[in-house]
Amino acid sequence: MSGMATSTPKRERVRRLPAEVTSFVGRRREVAEGKSLLARSRLVTLTGVGGVGKTRMASRIAADVQRAFPDGVWLVELASVVDPELLTHTVTEVLAIEEKPARSPMESISEVLADKKALLILDNCEHLLHECAILAEELLASAPELRIIATSRQPLRIRGEQTLAVLPLPVPDSCTARLSVESLAQVDAVRLFVERAEAVLPDFSVTEANRDAVERICRRLDGIPLAIELAAVRLRALSVQQLLDRLDDRFRLLTAGSRTVSPRHQTLRALFDWSYDLCTEPERLLWARASVFCGGLDLESAETVCSGDGIAREDVIDLVIGLVEKSVLLREEHPGGVRYRLLETIRQYGRDRLAESGTEEALRRRHREYYLVLAAEARAQLFTHTQVKWLARLRLEHANLRAALKSGFEAGEAEAALRMATDLLYYWKTSHHLREGRCWLDQGLAHVTEPGELRARALWGRSWLAIMLGEIPAAVAMLDESQALGERLGLGSVLAYVALYFGMAAMYDGDTGPAIKLFEEALAGHRAVGDEPGQVLDLTRLCLAYSYEGDSERAVSAGEEAVRICDARGEGWHRAYAMMALGIEVWRQGDLERAACLERESLRFNSVLDDWLGMGINLEVLAWVSTQEGDHERAARLLGVLRNVWRTVGAPMSQFGYLTKYHDEFEARARQALGEPAYRGEVEQGGRLAYDEALAYALKDSAPDAARPAAARPSPLTRRETEIARLVTQGLSNREIAASLVIAQRTAEGHIEHILGKLGFHSRAQIAVWVAEQGQPVDAGRETTGRTPPDQAHMR
């Protein structure tokens, strides 16, 4: 697994910095000072007002020094984390740390980072200042090679912290001699304004005719990058002089504002007031109402939550387009469709306007009602062909789901919040938010004490999370209460699920006989009420239990029936587990080829959802198959991959611990066949495989890198990076590369930095050697334009 493979075999690479989509202007001295401070201190906090560029500067510093941190560089965005208790959960999500039974998130983070030379960026700490200070202090104490960059409006105030004030960009000094147009254009604030203006007006430049207006705009905006960027966008509709005139009006209006607000806050407020005034009244309404969302929204949610009382539903799309054009909303592409996001400072301005309007609570209610319905609809669709789409959507909406649950409990609507948390049961499981789901269910159960169907359903759902976390006594206690409610109220569905999870608890302890009786009871109950997802869960568990008892006929029958039910609905997740269970029984019967096919099919789907528990069992069986086929090297490599998987899950086999006897047997056979040194080497090689490499190897799509020649390995570079690497090999300078490919020199420089980072190099000469080793002539396919033909774009 890549980067932190010994702890977290995650798909993403260890360097998780956002790509720069616009140029980084100025800040050379501050970046150099930041890097110097980071070399001397393990905690550097960048402080400054909102919109001044703290996040961008932290990312640039991290990008410049990332090769000094071989175990990873991560950006933890905290702007949307409203609940301090979720701070550590957010860090575990970014680091892709699986929650472990009987361990707090803080302990898991400390354990993973303990021996890592890594860099963590904690971005937007100001609203979680105390909690971030504690987090940073504990991590620095437990991880001696860890360094942290924090961004905040004020220091964390902990021992060893070095602070660096991020000031606005330099502006032209009105008291010095008049600069030439060329010199004026090189002043950082002016350069930023010009570059952003060029994005909307490609021919824009500083001239003798507009220089005074440009200079005054930058000075009036105090050199705050966000303010400058928003102003430049207005050149779509205004001349530079018109832009300046409007800024003058707004600043005069606010000069008599609150004396308790800093001058820079007044200036930023003036900018947003001005930007707000440029919007139509319906756009202003939408801006304020959209601020109730956390982490983004899509068109459907905007239409549902924000329409009414001045905004017709059919008008929302045009208003969204208007706010995108005015740079209030940012448009983002996702696999599921387009989403929109408010920058946090713009969102906060909208929240202030919403509060002033007196409609904030009404909008929060509409927001939570929307997500209550969304959660219920997702639950209803989770046994259909749209399952993956719905789970992906819930992941995108995670911040909004959190906000809706929090809002519901704060508003005294605990029953609705508990229903929502219960409807999200599969989401908590498949998205690795077991502990967070447990927290919301516990909070709801503490408030909703009336003996009813909701409480009974929440109890058995909560018990499932407890079993997955290894909390068996707690699970049994909840199942006892749920069973009592089911019997008292005559709830057949509840009693069926109670029997299912009692059976899982029994299997956890290896009590196969009682477990089979409970699974059979659950199956009868689910058939009686027509619950197909429940039936498939029962049949899958029966397949495993029958197989473990040696009852092949009933094991195969149960597994095949589960698959048939899933196929009729086009369902995938339950089917993958049924295929896994069938694969184990087929393997036990000695049909190794079919067993491997079943496990690989299951593995392919489990990998789509990043279901590490399911993937772990799939890999286990494939390792057992390889051992029996005599391919002990492959078995050992798969066992190396599994070490990382089970460390991620938190416990070997987790709720399938009764299968451990097979793992131990075939691990011993592989070790004996290879001998200890060779076995250990193969295991270590498997443990070093990146996520995609390990998955491809398990699926027999490829051999591990060490087993095939370098020329056969896929290039880590993109098509454009490959093209630029060839030009570097020919000795071209950055300027010459830019001219050859008709791109900006800064763009060429950025590509070369990315190439160096991906290949782990520090010089252009190393790039040239690497290109030569790929077996491709450096001038292959070059056309007179300097571009590489499509069929030769990748070095193979």
Side-chain angles (χ1 to χ4, degrees):
M1 303 296 163
S2 61
M4 298 180 71
T6 56
S7 301
T8 308
K10 214 43 180 162
R11 179 187 311 272
E12 296 82 4
R13 293 182 179 275
V14 296
R15 294 182 174 86
R16 300 173 61 100
L17 297 175
E20 292 187 346
V21 295
T22 57
S23 58
F24 183 82
V25 175
R27 306 290 195 197
R28 287 189 178 183
R29 182 190 61 78
E30 295 98 322
V31 169
E33 186 176 356
K35 291 192 288 187
S36 176
L37 289 174
L38 194 62
R40 303 196 306 267
S41 172
R42 296 177 58 215
L43 170 63
V44 176
T45 302
L46 307 183
T47 61
V49 298
V52 80
K54 300 184 293 295
T55 301
R56 191 73 185 270
M57 197 171 106
S59 296
R60 174 49 65 101
I61 292 171
D64 284 356
V65 302
Q66 63 181 342
R67 289 196 295 277
F69 298 94
D71 292 317
V73 179
W74 287 272
L75 172 65
V76 182
E77 297 175 328
L78 301 176
S80 64
V81 181
V82 295
D83 188 343
E85 293 183 0
L86 297 176
L87 172 60
T88 52
H89 290 291
T90 302
V91 178
T92 61
E93 290 170 26
V94 172
L95 296 180
I97 299 173
E98 191 78 14
E99 296 162 330
K100 299 181 180 180
R103 296 187 69 80
S104 69
M106 187 67 233
E107 290 173 330
S108 297
I109 298 167
S110 298
E111 178 184 6
V112 167
L113 294 177
D115 60 345
K116 302 297 186 294
K117 191 169 186 178
L119 175 63
L120 199 64
I121 303 174
L122 300 176
D123 187 37
N124 286 307
C125 298
E126 53 268 7
H127 60 304
L128 301 169
L129 201 64
H130 177 68
E131 292 76 16
C132 285
I134 293 174
L135 173 70
E137 195 163 56
E138 290 189 20
L139 289 182
L140 292 172
S142 62
E145 293 295 315
L146 176 69
R147 275 173 163 69
I148 296 175
I149 300 175
T151 73
S152 176
R153 296 188 183 185
Q154 59 190 106
L156 301 186
R157 302 293 186 197
I158 66 174
R159 185 178 56 186
E161 178 186 34
Q162 291 285 335
T163 61
L164 176 60
V166 182
L167 302 176
L169 293 173
V171 297
D173 190 342
S174 59
C175 299
T176 61
R178 182 179 175 86
L179 298 173
S180 66
V181 170
E182 292 75 19
S183 297
L184 177 65
Q186 293 306 309
V187 176
D188 286 344
V190 175
R191 185 153 66 94
L192 177 65
F193 181 82
V194 171
E195 291 193 10
R196 299 303 184 260
E198 288 174 342
V200 296
L201 297 173
D203 295 330
F204 183 85
S205 63
V206 180
T207 66
E208 286 295 342
N210 67 19
R211 56 162 296 153
D212 288 341
V214 169
E215 181 175 343
R216 291 175 63 192
I217 287 171
C218 294
R219 196 179 302 125
R220 296 281 185 178
L221 294 178
D222 287 340
I224 296 176
L226 179 59
I228 291 172
E229 291 180 336
L230 287 172
V233 170
R234 304 306 174 200
L235 293 180
R236 285 194 181 106
L238 302 174
S239 69
V240 176
Q241 189 59 51
Q242 288 173 322
L243 179 59
L244 175 61
D245 291 342
R246 292 186 69 83
L247 287 178
D248 284 342
D249 290 339
R250 295 307 178 268
F251 284 132
R252 289 195 196 101
L253 182 64
L254 294 176
T255 54
S258 171
R259 297 183 184 277
T260 63
V261 179
S262 71
R264 290 196 184 99
H265 280 170
Q266 289 180 350
T267 302
L268 196 57
R269 173 77 186 193
L271 173 66
F272 290 129
D273 282 340
W274 162 80
S275 189
Y276 187 78
D277 288 344
L278 283 178
C279 296
T280 64
E281 185 58 32
E283 286 175 340
R284 296 173 194 167
L285 276 176
L286 184 62
W287 180 349
R289 293 175 183 179
S291 69
V292 78
F293 290 91
C294 297
L297 66 156
D298 59 18
L299 185 59
E300 178 193 335
S301 57
E303 290 172 335
T304 305
V305 176
C306 301
S307 62
D309 300 325
I311 298 179
R313 185 183 181 97
E314 59 268 22
D315 291 338
V316 170
I317 185 170
D318 290 330
L319 298 176
V320 166
I321 291 171
L323 291 179
V324 169
E325 290 180 346
K326 292 178 171 67
S327 295
V328 175
L329 286 174
L330 297 180
R331 181 185 184 279
E332 297 179 336
E333 284 283 354
H334 292 273
V338 174
R339 289 179 64 82
Y340 307 96
R341 182 171 59 88
L342 290 162
L343 292 174
E344 185 58 26
T345 45
I346 296 177
R347 176 175 175 266
Q348 188 57 56
Y349 180 89
R351 290 297 292 267
D352 292 344
R353 288 290 189 171
L354 189 62
E356 291 168 6
S357 72
T359 62
E360 182 175 12
E361 184 47 48
L363 262 294
R364 291 181 70 193
R365 182 177 64 253
R366 289 160 69 174
H367 177 272
R368 63 179 174 264
E369 288 173 351
Y370 175 80
Y371 285 101
L372 179 67
V373 172
L374 184 75
E377 188 174 356
R379 174 174 175 255
Q381 296 295 322
L382 282 176
F383 200 71
T384 71
H385 68 281
T386 62
Q387 177 189 71
V388 173
K389 182 186 76 172
W390 274 98
L391 289 171
R393 181 174 181 184
L394 291 178
R395 290 186 181 187
L396 285 175
E397 296 286 8
H398 188 69
N400 281 310
L401 295 172
R402 278 179 173 174
L405 285 164
K406 184 173 186 292
S407 171
F409 285 117
E410 289 175 346
E413 299 175 3
E415 186 171 321
L418 178 58
R419 181 176 295 106
M420 180 178 173
T422 306
D423 285 342
L424 292 171
L425 182 62
Y426 273 61
Y427 172 67
W428 303 132
K429 196 277 180 193
T430 60
S431 64
H432 315 301
H433 294 299
L434 296 181
R435 291 184 184 276
E436 182 174 346
R438 180 183 66 178
C439 289
W440 291 121
L441 287 167
D442 285 347
Q443 188 172 348
L445 288 167
H447 285 87
V448 181
T449 58
E450 299 81 3
E453 182 177 3
L454 174 60
R455 181 172 177 83
R457 186 162 69 92
L459 282 165
W460 66 247
R462 172 66 178 84
S463 77
W464 191 22
L465 299 185
I467 291 170
M468 285 185 277
L469 289 168
E471 302 165 349
I472 304 304
V476 170
M478 286 179 278
L479 288 170
D480 284 337
E481 182 183 351
S482 184
Q483 183 178 44
L485 289 173
E487 291 172 347
R488 184 193 314 175
L489 301 173
L491 303 173
S493 176
V494 167
L495 293 174
Y497 277 106
V498 166
L500 167 64
Y501 295 120
F502 265 136
M504 289 175 62
M507 282 297 291
Y508 191 95
D509 293 328
D511 296 332
T512 316
I516 288 175
K517 292 180 180 179
L518 287 162
F519 293 147
E520 290 173 341
E521 178 187 336
L523 179 59
H526 281 132
R527 281 177 172 159
V529 298
D531 185 334
E532 288 186 325
Q535 292 175 51
V536 173
L537 287 172
D538 304 330
L539 289 164
T540 300
R541 295 292 169 165
L542 278 169
C543 177
L544 289 165
Y546 288 145
S547 178
Y548 194 76
E549 288 283 275
D551 191 340
S552 295
E553 183 178 351
R554 289 205 289 178
V556 171
S557 176
E560 290 180 345
E561 183 180 353
V563 172
R564 283 196 301 271
I565 295 173
C566 294
D567 285 344
R569 300 296 182 189
E571 195 275 345
W573 184 74
H574 292 83
R575 184 181 188 276
Y577 271 75
M579 298 285 281
M580 173 268 289
L582 267 176
I584 290 175
E585 171 54 28
V586 171
W587 162 79
R588 200 184 62 79
Q589 294 177 16
D591 190 345
L592 303 184
E593 183 177 354
R594 184 173 176 230
C597 288
L598 288 166
E599 295 300 331
R600 290 193 185 101
E601 185 175 350
S602 175
L603 176 60
R604 286 188 179 92
F605 188 88
N606 284 329
S607 68
V608 171
L609 293 183
D610 281 343
D611 185 338
W612 291 102
L613 175 57
M615 292 168 66
I617 301 298
N618 298 145
L619 291 168
E620 283 282 357
V621 182
L622 290 172
W624 308 341
V625 168
S626 293
T627 302
Q628 286 188 291
E629 290 177 335
D631 192 347
H632 301 292
E633 291 85 358
R634 181 178 182 81
R637 289 174 193 161
L638 289 173
L639 290 170
V641 174
L642 274 163
R643 286 188 179 182
N644 295 328
V645 171
W646 293 134
R647 191 177 292 114
T648 297
V649 172
M653 303 289 193
S654 186
Q655 55 190 290
F656 299 96
Y658 52 90
L659 298 175
T660 301
K661 70 173 188 178
Y662 298 132
H663 171 96
D664 294 344
E665 176 187 346
F666 288 97
E667 181 181 46
R669 287 171 62 173
R671 178 183 279 109
Q672 182 178 8
L674 293 173
E676 186 61 32
Y679 171 80
R680 190 164 53 246
E682 296 293 347
V683 169
E684 289 174 357
Q685 182 179 327
R688 287 194 298 269
L689 292 177
Y691 172 88
D692 289 332
E693 293 174 326
L695 183 60
Y697 183 58
L699 294 172
K700 285 199 170 179
D701 291 340
S702 66
D705 275 357
R708 49 190 155 104
R713 301 175 195 170
S715 170
L717 306 184
T718 66
R719 177 176 176 176
R720 177 47 64 92
E721 288 167 351
T722 299
E723 198 171 15
I724 289 175
R726 289 179 178 149
L727 297 179
V728 168
T729 301
Q730 295 179 42
L732 272 65
S733 67
N734 292 345
R735 183 186 297 274
E736 290 168 333
I737 291 172
S740 175
L741 299 178
V742 197
I743 59 176
Q745 183 174 336
R746 290 192 189 90
T747 302
E749 292 168 351
H751 280 305
I752 292 171
E753 283 299 314
H754 290 156
I755 292 168
L756 291 168
K758 285 183 176 182
L759 300 178
F761 296 160
H762 55 79
S763 73
R764 298 164 78 95
Q766 288 176 299
I767 296 175
V769 173
W770 181 85
V771 170
E773 288 176 346
Q774 304 311 297
Q776 292 276 354
V778 298
D779 60 346
R782 289 292 309 281
E783 299 178 320
T784 56
T785 60
R787 299 184 182 276
T788 305
D791 61 338
Q792 297 182 21
H794 285 291
M795 289 176 287
R796 297 296 181 186

